[in-house]
Amino acid sequence: MDYFDSSSGTDDKQLRRDIRRLGNLLGQALVRQEGPQLLELVEEVRGLVRHQPEAVASRLAKLDVNEEVDLARAFATYFHLANITEQVHRARDMRRSRAENGGWLSQARAEITAEDVPADQIAAAAERLEVRPVFTAHPTEAARRSILMKLRGIADLLDAETAERAVLGSADVDAVNSRLAEIIDLLWQTDELRVEKPEPTDEARNAIYYLTDLYRDAAARVLTDLNATLTDLGGSPRPGHAPLKFGTWIGGDRDGNPFVTPEVTKQVLLMQHEHGIAAAEGAVATLINELSVSQTVRPAAQELLDSVAADFKVLDNIPERYKRIYGEEPYRLKARAIEAKLANTRTRHAEGLPHRAGFDYADGRELIADLQVMRDSLARQRGQLPAKGVLDRVIRTVAAFGLQLATMDVREHSEAHHAVLAELYDATGELDKPYADLTAEERDALLEKELSGQRPLAPSNVELAERNRKTFNVFHAIRDAQVQFGQSIVESYIISMTHDPADVLAPAILARDAGLVDVARGRADIGFVPLMEEVEDLAGADALLDRLLSLPAYRAIVAARGDVQEVMLGYSDSNKDAGITASQWNIQSAQRQLRDVAHKHGVRLRLFHGRGGTIGRGGGPTHEAILAQPSGTLDGAIKITEQGEVLSDKYTLPALARENLELTVAASLKATLLHTEPRHQPDVLGRWFGVMDQTSEASKAVYRELTGQPGLADYFWAVSPTELLGALNIGSRPSKRPNTDAGLGGLRAIPWVFGWTQSRQIVPGWYGVGSGLAAAREAGLGEDIAEMYEKWHFFRNFVSNVEMTLAKTDLSIAEQYVSTLVPAELRPIFDVIRAEHERTVAEVLALTGGERLLDANPQLARTLEVRDRYLAPLHHLQISLLKRYRSEGGADGDVDPQLKRALLITVNGIAAGLRNTG
């Protein structure tokens, strides 16, 4: 089953050879599992798509539903195999590049050295550096973990074979093929569809899998490299400082997800600690194995001996035999004491017991303190190498992950807090009209006064409607979690759809009543994070933050949080709201304006980038995105969401995980030290900003003209399988916001992108760009646009991402969806989309100077071209199945379960082929 044609090019021969090899093994598996007729059918359909596309529909119409299921599975499985093989080779290329040119941090060190940055500036930046990938449960990973684990097994086999060949000159290919065939058979016999919708705790287990994998390998490597880089630059980081940390929304993201309750939040935090403690125990086991330093040979420092003695007085769960066999090995005795404290910590959390000093750990900082005692003793007693080696590695890793693996953010929609306050205020009778009738200005004034006071607005025995009670109880759950697990377990409370200062003040008041905030005493156990999600809010972000920081009560909260104000920027919803050009430009502009407001008020700004996996949701190369930010906006600390298929793509293989973490850290370090001032003259930037303002407005107008068409909602639902997204069971959160109709307004950004992607129109990734650029060109700004593309990092990165999305768009395939599935009266909408596509391609090529898209990246162009040959059968099959599914009544009809199954498999296969779900 030769899926990869030799005519596709002469480069990447080994990659093509491995994909062809796995394709052939898949073909053999199809014969073993289903008989030769399936392989013959696959080859027949593939040939028709390539040579007689007009005959495909009639051929598919002759298949029975079981054949359709098998055909869809065959192509979907191929893409899984092709994807993991590409990842393996990408990892090899990165290792090769690292060996020849150094890693991302080595390159950053060279650039910083070349700029002669003073050592004191580097040391200060090292203290401020805090890069935090935040794992979310956004439902965009279509593949089950059962599938991903088997693919990881295939990757390990391919790597082991290469290593054997490198060492011995040859490898046991037959043995490897036998094992590969075994895994492929198991892949075929594994259901790629989830039987039930995952619960938030299931999503948490998935994130924990990646976090524990990072704990064991990639994160420790990156932290070691970063420490070496900073030391070489003269800015040695403080022991125990965590320049890299991890965050999570899973179990804390309540916005539109009724299944994330306060009880679920507590369950997820407990799960994280169970696995975090287990990971720490693994690290301590390494110390027990390695630190066999004898008191007879090299006496330990008295501080360590005293620490061991104190531990053994308190701890009653250390086996006596350890005292006997390790009597002259104090480092091992101390490690065994740490091991006992970790076990006691696990028991304390499981049983909800209070912390006992010296008996268990309150949080990761106490564990680090114990480890530091061991390190200091080694360093003072001629053990500098292991002190700076294995012990520093463990300390850095524990500092990064704590005992909880990741710090949880809690998120809720702004209206949820106002609903609670409305019930509380209306119960007091102190307002002259219902709270819900207050203007935005009246709410701001009321809540500013309320936050400045000390009364509890909510009495301890207050009765609230069920939904409001759950919202209010979240703050009590945060307080309880901080008592149980330490304050670092939850640090940020994010307010979705922030429009006015009152949207931030409302949760601050509820937090005050829960005991998390005391303005008068200057205490705030959590920070409040406005999330700007629509372009109008992004445009007014600076004014909103200025008003907030001008309020003495709120400014006191920020002061209590170390004078750090976090602001989150929403890429997905702003794109859905106004199109990619307006979204990207307003986010870029908001960062500059927020930077200036923060500086005015003497606070540090920490930006949280809510990026998705697709270009239409803010995705794209992370390194370039960080370096394209405005100067001075990244001052050490940055948070970036990681979700869905991004997690598996970045973190499934340890080598890729290391590269992706390192490039993010390296870009953040460079931006902090080297991009503090604008890279262009103010008059040049002002001219470019004006061009982008004009381009953005023109693009937004065209985009909103499309989304405002009366028939667009019907067109969107007709042309794509979006109604089936929920049936994929890939996330616990509903695809629509609560209390919204069947239109597009309440549809979340993920299904919005999903629908356009499955039908290959991919409107969110490019629509309006052509009209925006054309409008600027028609205004006589063509030379400015060319200059911007040549010299401005932001604009070049933007155009590059749009070009890649255009290359993935295939309107010939999309036309098949339209002609088969869309009512005739709605088809003119496709003509509008096609015209804008042609305009955008022309404008992008005018900038890049290429004859075709991706001329400057022939490897990617070739990869997409080859993938299209095998995506086409899945698209044709999906169109046929979707037509029949709807003719039988769709979700409300008596549809053959196998037909629905086949349809869902095509969705999975297309997502795998495009490497994007939504």
Side-chain angles (χ1 to χ4, degrees):
M1 189 175 183
D2 189 351
Y3 275 97
F4 221 105
D5 295 339
S6 58
S7 60
S8 60
T10 57
D11 296 336
D12 310 313
K13 290 182 179 178
Q14 186 59 52
L15 169 61
R16 290 186 285 116
R17 193 157 43 239
D18 277 345
I19 292 180
R20 186 182 303 114
R21 172 189 186 182
L22 289 174
N24 289 334
L25 289 171
L26 174 59
Q28 295 166 21
L30 298 184
V31 173
R32 278 194 304 275
Q33 297 295 320
E34 309 298 337
Q37 67 278 3
L38 177 56
L39 180 58
E40 292 166 3
L41 175 62
V42 168
E43 295 296 343
E44 179 190 359
V45 171
R46 195 165 67 90
L48 286 175
V49 168
R50 191 168 184 182
H51 302 295
Q52 294 178 271
E54 69 283 353
V56 173
S58 60
R59 179 64 183 96
L60 293 177
K62 297 175 183 177
L63 300 179
D64 65 43
V65 70
N66 292 320
E67 289 175 314
E68 290 169 321
V69 168
D70 287 344
L71 185 64
R73 294 192 70 209
F75 281 104
T77 304
Y78 161 71
F79 280 120
H80 287 310
L81 296 174
N83 286 346
I84 196 64
T85 309
E86 286 180 5
Q87 285 181 292
V88 167
H89 282 264
R90 184 155 35 110
R92 287 180 193 168
D93 289 343
M94 288 175 171
R95 287 195 294 264
R96 191 177 301 115
S97 175
R98 176 183 293 276
E100 295 172 357
N101 308 310
W104 295 95
L105 283 167
S106 296
Q107 296 167 34
R109 179 176 59 219
E111 292 182 42
I112 294 166
T113 300
E115 293 294 325
D116 290 325
V117 180
D120 59 339
Q121 276 186 238
I122 295 171
E127 281 295 304
R128 299 195 306 273
L129 191 64
E130 187 187 312
V131 177
R132 187 178 300 189
V134 180
F135 291 9
T136 79
H138 287 65
T140 62
E141 174 56 87
R144 293 177 61 203
R145 201 166 86 202
S146 297
I147 301 290
L148 296 175
M149 291 295 292
K150 289 176 178 59
L151 295 174
R152 169 72 180 267
I154 288 173
D156 290 344
L157 282 169
L158 293 175
D159 269 344
E161 181 186 52
T162 300
E164 183 181 0
R165 185 175 287 112
V167 173
L168 303 177
S170 63
D172 190 345
V173 176
D174 290 341
V176 174
N177 279 346
S178 177
R179 180 67 182 125
L180 287 171
E182 180 183 338
I183 296 176
I184 291 171
D185 272 6
L186 288 171
L187 264 178
W188 185 258
Q189 294 184 19
T190 300
D191 192 349
E192 54 271 272
L193 302 177
R194 294 173 176 86
V195 177
E196 293 183 349
K197 203 175 186 69
E199 297 179 351
T201 50
D202 299 319
E203 294 167 328
R205 288 185 184 91
N206 189 53
I208 287 168
Y209 164 76
Y210 288 111
L211 288 165
T212 52
D213 216 32
L214 289 168
Y215 193 114
R216 285 189 293 266
D217 185 71
R221 288 174 179 268
V222 171
L223 288 164
T224 297
D225 290 345
L226 176 61
N227 184 76
T229 298
L230 292 171
T231 300
D232 287 349
L233 289 168
S236 300
R238 171 173 46 86
H241 174 59
L244 174 65
K245 291 184 177 180
F246 294 87
T248 180
W249 278 16
I250 304 169
D253 185 6
R254 290 174 45 80
D255 179 17
N257 192 338
F259 306 109
V260 179
T261 63
E263 292 72 26
V264 164
T265 299
K266 294 176 183 177
Q267 290 174 26
V268 170
L269 291 176
L270 186 59
M271 285 170 52
Q272 286 184 204
H273 276 80
E274 289 172 354
H275 290 271
I277 290 170
E281 288 171 332
V284 172
T286 300
L287 298 181
I288 293 170
N289 287 333
E290 295 199 18
L291 298 182
S292 55
V293 181
S294 171
Q295 186 74 351
T296 304
V297 177
R298 184 67 61 203
Q302 189 60 44
E303 182 186 5
L304 175 63
L305 299 177
D306 292 344
S307 175
V308 170
D311 285 340
F312 275 72
K313 281 183 181 179
V314 175
L315 298 167
D316 55 10
N317 58 329
I318 301 178
E320 284 295 322
R321 69 185 184 89
Y322 291 153
K323 301 175 186 178
R324 175 172 51 82
I325 63 177
Y326 299 144
E328 291 299 312
E329 296 175 346
Y331 295 95
R332 279 179 162 170
L333 286 175
K334 182 61 181 177
R336 288 295 183 186
I338 291 172
E339 188 179 55
K341 290 182 188 180
L342 287 169
N344 294 339
T345 306
R346 178 187 288 107
T347 301
R348 173 170 73 85
H349 291 327
E351 298 179 7
L353 301 173
H355 166 56
R356 287 173 56 189
F359 185 76
D360 58 52
Y361 290 122
D363 54 29
R365 290 174 299 180
E366 292 189 356
L367 170 56
I368 290 172
D370 270 349
L371 294 168
Q372 193 68 43
V373 171
M374 298 172 70
R375 186 216 184 270
D376 291 346
S377 176
L378 271 174
R380 288 199 295 266
Q381 301 299 111
R382 300 185 185 178
Q384 290 91 345
L385 292 180
K388 294 180 178 180
V390 64
L391 262 163
D392 270 358
R393 284 195 296 273
V394 172
I395 289 171
R396 285 191 292 264
T397 304
V398 172
F401 291 91
L403 295 179
Q404 73 271 24
L405 293 179
T407 295
M408 180 180 287
D409 291 342
V410 176
R411 182 173 75 138
E412 181 58 279
H413 196 285
S414 58
E415 287 304 314
H417 311 118
H418 290 302
V420 178
L421 291 184
E423 190 170 356
L424 292 173
Y425 272 113
D426 292 350
T428 67
E430 62 188 60
L431 302 181
D432 58 6
K433 56 183 173 182
Y435 178 90
D437 293 344
L438 296 176
T439 65
E441 292 75 16
E442 289 171 334
R443 283 202 308 195
D444 288 348
L446 173 68
L447 300 190
E448 177 191 356
K449 181 180 178 182
E450 182 65 50
L451 185 61
S452 301
Q454 298 187 47
R455 70 160 181 175
L457 180 60
S460 58
N461 60 347
V462 65
E463 292 189 9
L464 295 168
E466 181 180 3
R467 185 172 178 181
N468 291 339
R469 164 58 64 186
K470 287 181 178 178
T471 301
F472 187 52
N473 281 352
V474 167
F475 295 94
H476 291 275
I478 294 171
R479 183 197 62 197
D480 293 345
Q482 290 185 341
V483 170
Q484 182 74 14
F485 303 115
Q487 285 202 354
S488 64
I489 191 63
V490 178
E491 295 177 347
S492 299
Y493 191 95
I494 300 166
I495 305 101
S496 298
M497 290 296 172
T498 297
H499 305 299
D500 303 294
D503 294 334
V504 180
L505 300 178
I509 290 167
L510 298 179
R512 178 201 66 185
D513 282 12
L516 290 167
V517 169
D518 188 333
V519 172
R521 291 178 173 80
R523 180 175 62 82
D525 296 335
I526 56 172
F528 300 92
V529 182
L531 169 50
M532 315 296 187
E533 298 183 83
E534 297 181 341
V535 289
E536 283 75 14
D537 295 320
L538 288 165
D542 56 334
L544 185 145
L545 186 61
D546 187 41
R547 288 161 64 192
L548 271 175
L549 293 175
S550 298
L551 303 177
Y554 185 77
R555 184 64 182 83
I557 290 175
V558 176
R561 300 296 299 168
D563 281 323
V564 175
Q565 173 63 59
E566 184 176 320
V567 177
M568 186 170 182
L569 306 171
Y571 288 70
S572 302
D573 284 292
S574 60
N575 183 305
K576 180 172 178 283
D577 172 39
I580 189 169
T581 311
S583 169
Q584 295 283 307
W585 178 236
N586 276 276
I587 287 172
Q588 184 80 357
S589 300
Q591 292 179 75
R592 296 197 320 271
Q593 294 156 359
L594 290 166
R595 171 201 64 196
D596 295 342
V597 170
H599 181 74
K600 168 186 170 183
H601 288 275
V603 306
R604 282 184 59 214
L605 178 68
R606 178 167 63 205
L607 289 172
F608 185 178
H609 297 267
R611 304 172 76 226
T614 59
I615 301 300
R617 295 184 51 243
T622 302
H623 187 267
E624 295 304 308
I626 291 173
L627 295 179
Q629 292 181 71
S631 59
T633 55
L634 204 170
D635 187 26
I638 186 172
K639 292 170 67 175
I640 305 172
T641 53
E642 303 274 47
Q643 54 191 258
E645 75 276 10
V646 173
L647 290 177
S648 60
D649 187 57
K650 285 186 174 183
Y651 302 123
T652 291
L653 303 185
L656 289 182
R658 178 186 182 182
E659 292 293 329
N660 282 295
L661 286 179
E662 185 174 336
L663 68 85
T664 304
V665 171
S668 301
L669 181 63
K670 286 199 295 185
T672 298
L673 285 170
L674 303 181
H675 299 167
T676 57
E677 299 293 335
R679 283 166 278 189
H680 304 281
Q681 292 299 314
D683 60 325
V684 174
L685 285 176
R687 179 160 46 82
W688 292 351
F689 293 170
V691 174
M692 279 307 303
D693 285 340
Q694 187 165 339
T695 303
S696 172
E697 285 301 312
S699 176
K700 180 173 69 174
V702 169
Y703 176 86
R704 284 186 169 171
E705 185 179 348
L706 173 69
T707 58
Q709 289 203 30
L712 185 70
D714 292 333
Y715 174 89
F716 175 80
W717 290 108
V719 81
S720 72
T722 308
E723 73 260 38
L724 287 154
L725 183 58
L728 282 173
N729 294 325
I730 59 177
S732 66
R733 188 175 70 167
S735 61
K736 289 180 71 68
R737 295 187 183 274
N739 305 316
T740 55
D741 57 25
L744 299 177
L747 189 70
R748 291 188 178 276
I750 288 171
W752 172 252
V753 174
F754 164 86
W756 293 116
T757 301
Q758 285 279 310
S759 63
R760 299 297 293 277
Q761 296 170 84
I762 323 185
V763 161
W766 57 264
Y767 196 90
V769 174
S771 289
L773 292 173
R777 207 178 290 281
E778 289 164 8
L781 302 172
E783 292 184 3
D784 294 283
I785 295 172
E787 181 187 37
M788 288 157 57
Y789 182 72
E790 179 185 355
K791 297 180 179 180
W792 191 11
H793 203 145
F794 160 75
F795 188 67
R796 191 177 188 89
N797 188 54
F798 168 70
V799 173
S800 174
N801 286 337
V802 169
E803 182 181 18
M804 184 171 66
T805 308
L806 287 169
K808 284 188 171 185
T809 302
D810 188 331
L811 294 191
S812 62
I813 289 289
E815 189 171 19
Q816 299 299 315
Y817 281 85
V818 173
S819 62
T820 306
L821 301 171
V822 176
E825 66 273 14
L826 296 175
R827 291 175 193 167
I829 292 175
F830 181 66
D831 296 332
V832 174
I833 292 171
R834 179 155 43 197
E836 180 62 20
H837 180 265
E838 292 172 357
R839 188 176 301 114
T840 303
V841 169
E843 289 293 336
V844 167
L845 292 179
L847 284 172
T848 65
E851 294 184 5
R852 298 190 314 163
L853 295 171
L854 298 179
D855 264 1
N857 192 344
Q859 182 178 337
L860 177 58
R862 186 170 60 253
T863 297
L864 294 178
E865 180 184 354
V866 172
R867 280 175 175 266
D868 276 347
R869 296 175 192 166
Y870 307 107
L871 275 167
L874 280 172
H875 283 298
H876 283 286
L877 189 56
Q878 184 178 89
I879 293 166
S880 173
L881 291 165
L882 199 51
K883 181 179 180 181
R884 283 163 48 204
Y885 174 77
R886 290 171 179 168
S887 70
E888 294 181 17
D892 299 324
D894 186 20
V895 176
D896 182 343
Q898 280 291 86
L899 188 155
K900 184 177 180 180
R901 175 175 167 74
L903 187 49
L904 291 173
I905 293 168
T906 66
V907 171
N908 266 2
I910 291 168
L914 291 170
R915 309 199 75 158
N916 286 124
T917 301

